[in-house]
Amino acid sequence: MTPPVTPTIRPARPRDVPAVVAMVHDLAEYERAPDQCHLTAEQLTSALFPADPDGGAASDASSPATAPALFGHVAVDEQDEPIGFALWFLNFSTWAGVHGIYLEDLYVRPAARGTGAGRLLLATLAEICVRRGYRRLEWWMIDWNPAAGFYASIGAQPMSEWVPYRLSGDALRELADHAATADTRTGDRPGRVPDRGDEA
């Protein structure tokens, strides 16, 4: 039996977007929530490769004005076709005083599992952290995912003492409305710093 070819890891390119979007939807299907995934190629292109502020086409993000907030790497096969991906962005630790990487999604197509693609994608992000002086590489995992064993094998530790919270939908809009109301109420006092008697 021919051993699997070790994939290559490289930054995502605009032509990779359709394949990555398809894999995001595959991941949603795997996590039993396909109806919650609405990502389009246009959205991902805009996030990874922001348009020039003067109205030009998607840029290479070489200038701060067009720098993306989302980053991506792909694992590719011998034909340079994506077989896996990692989408990530920067977070910041106020305790450590430095940035870290938050891995939003990691996925390898079933046919490519066992090639080392997942480990190589994580290793690439770890190398970015070390090279840039970032202190943490973090992600969430659904609790029944069998990848827990793999993550443990590379030294990743579950952060069981931290509970994730999320605001979305109506609750998010209601809280946003509260801010809009507060802006109206205090709009005649620009720059005023609230004191301890102010409403929380």
Side-chain angles (χ1 to χ4, degrees):
M1 182 177 177
T2 304
V5 176
T6 302
T8 300
I9 309 300
R10 62 167 174 75
R13 299 168 184 164
R15 67 178 178 84
D16 301 321
V17 166
V20 173
V21 170
M23 287 188 280
V24 169
H25 284 270
D26 289 346
L27 175 59
E29 183 81 35
Y30 174 75
E31 293 187 347
R32 307 168 190 169
D35 57 319
Q36 296 179 36
C37 184
H38 307 289
L39 181 69
T40 67
E42 291 76 15
Q43 288 174 322
L44 188 57
T45 297
S46 178
L48 287 172
F49 311 103
D52 186 293
D54 295 324
S59 75
D60 63 358
S62 58
S63 74
T66 58
L70 178 71
F71 305 90
H73 282 77
V74 290
V76 296
D77 62 17
E78 300 154 281
Q79 287 75 45
D80 201 40
E81 293 300 322
I83 58 172
F85 75 91
L87 292 176
W88 56 277
F89 52 87
L90 297 182
N91 56 18
F92 186 82
S93 168
T94 54
W95 289 12
V98 295
H99 284 294
I101 285 178
Y102 181 80
L103 174 62
E104 176 64 21
D105 277 336
L106 174 76
Y107 183 76
V108 176
R109 286 181 166 149
R113 291 172 192 168
T115 62
R119 181 183 292 267
L120 285 171
L121 284 163
L122 285 171
T124 298
L125 300 191
E127 189 276 332
I128 293 171
C129 285
V130 171
R131 174 163 42 88
R132 296 183 183 178
Y134 301 162
R135 296 280 295 275
R136 298 173 179 169
L137 170 57
E138 300 176 305
W139 63 91
W140 289 0
M141 184 196 76
I142 200 162
D143 58 7
W144 50 261
N145 193 327
F150 163 62
Y151 293 146
S153 76
I154 62 173
Q157 300 176 345
M159 305 297 291
S160 57
E161 69 271 28
W162 294 93
V163 178
Y165 280 80
R166 174 179 296 165
L167 268 175
S168 62
D170 291 342
L172 180 65
R173 285 185 286 273
E174 287 171 13
L175 190 59
D177 288 344
H178 180 77
T181 302
D183 286 345
T184 300
R185 188 179 62 245
T186 61
D188 59 342
R189 294 175 289 171
R192 178 179 178 274
V193 177
D195 63 34
R196 293 184 64 183
D198 286 334
E199 181 182 349

